[in-house]
Amino acid sequence: MPSDEDPIASRADDDRDLYDVATWEERTSLDGLSVALHWFITRSAKALVVFVAFVGLLAIVGSFGLGLVFDPAIAILLGLSAVPALGLAAYVYVSDVTTAEPLSLLVATFLLSILTATFAAVLNSVLQPYFRPFGFLGLVVFFFVVVGPIEESVKLLAVRLYAYTDARFDAVIDGAVYGAIAGLGFVVIENFVYIAQNVDMAELTVGIAALGAGDGIAALRALAGPGHVVYSAFAGYYLGLAKFNPGNRGPIIVKGLVLAAAIHALYNTLVGPVTGVASQLLGLPQVVALFGFVVVFQGAFGYVLLRKIWRYRDAYLDTRDEVGEDVEPELDEFEQ
């Protein structure tokens, strides 16, 4: 495996000054300027991404009317539709056996996910017409080539923009936590768009009865919500793994995205046909068949995700106990 050091640096003694020869650190004013410019460029690039996403969000929300954002009935409908996804994200959060994640990073990731989701909305809308003429096969390709990869990438981007670079992101499992929160943010903005497109404001009332508005759109979106949390938690876990394995960072991130995108696309591909067939064969209402499919599909992959989280938890607790066992004899010997 290639060394991380230049041959000179690996062979030279500690007394030799190799600055600007084989090693580098900030020394001169030009070095300081270079560090400052690098900081400005990277921060400006992130700020530009956030600004463009914010403009896109304003355009999407504005197309439905900004008043919907402040409508209490819409807020209740949106909240009800996000409850299952919130519950799953909360479980992933409490499953983190390392240090608790700060609220500031969780909120920032949630808000950034709402913003970056606009990239997926635009790209999906622009690219879908190219696949539609090919019927169901074209739709399947669209799910696997466009929807899955793009939506999982923008959710991971929400984590990468801020939380990932923070020192408090200090364990692999943190990636799953922030990934789940990014999935929750994506659910909120996606459900808002679906509700705004399908619900007649005249039929909305404040209360639990709002679930039936728009042919039960909130209930249907509630079924789809947990999937986004599962997919992005998978991708986030591998982002965390990549942070602490920088030598293989690229392939690890790609692995997480491929897994998340494939599960996402498979769900989109199967949900319609399987629900329709099950409804006809078993004589079930469409929504009941959909509920059964979601429970089986999302439950299966959710269980795989939780097994991964539990495996990390067990390894963390085992290694912590081993460290404790190693330290105790030394303390006993010292006390003697």
Side-chain angles (χ1 to χ4, degrees), residues 57-66:
L57 180 64
L58 285 180
I60 291 173
V61 173
S63 67
F64 303 117
L66 291 175

Side-chain angles (χ1 to χ4, degrees), residues 154-165:
V154 299
K155 286 187 282 184
L156 208 63
L157 175 62
V159 182
R160 185 65 180 83
L161 281 171
Y162 183 52
Y164 179 86
T165 57

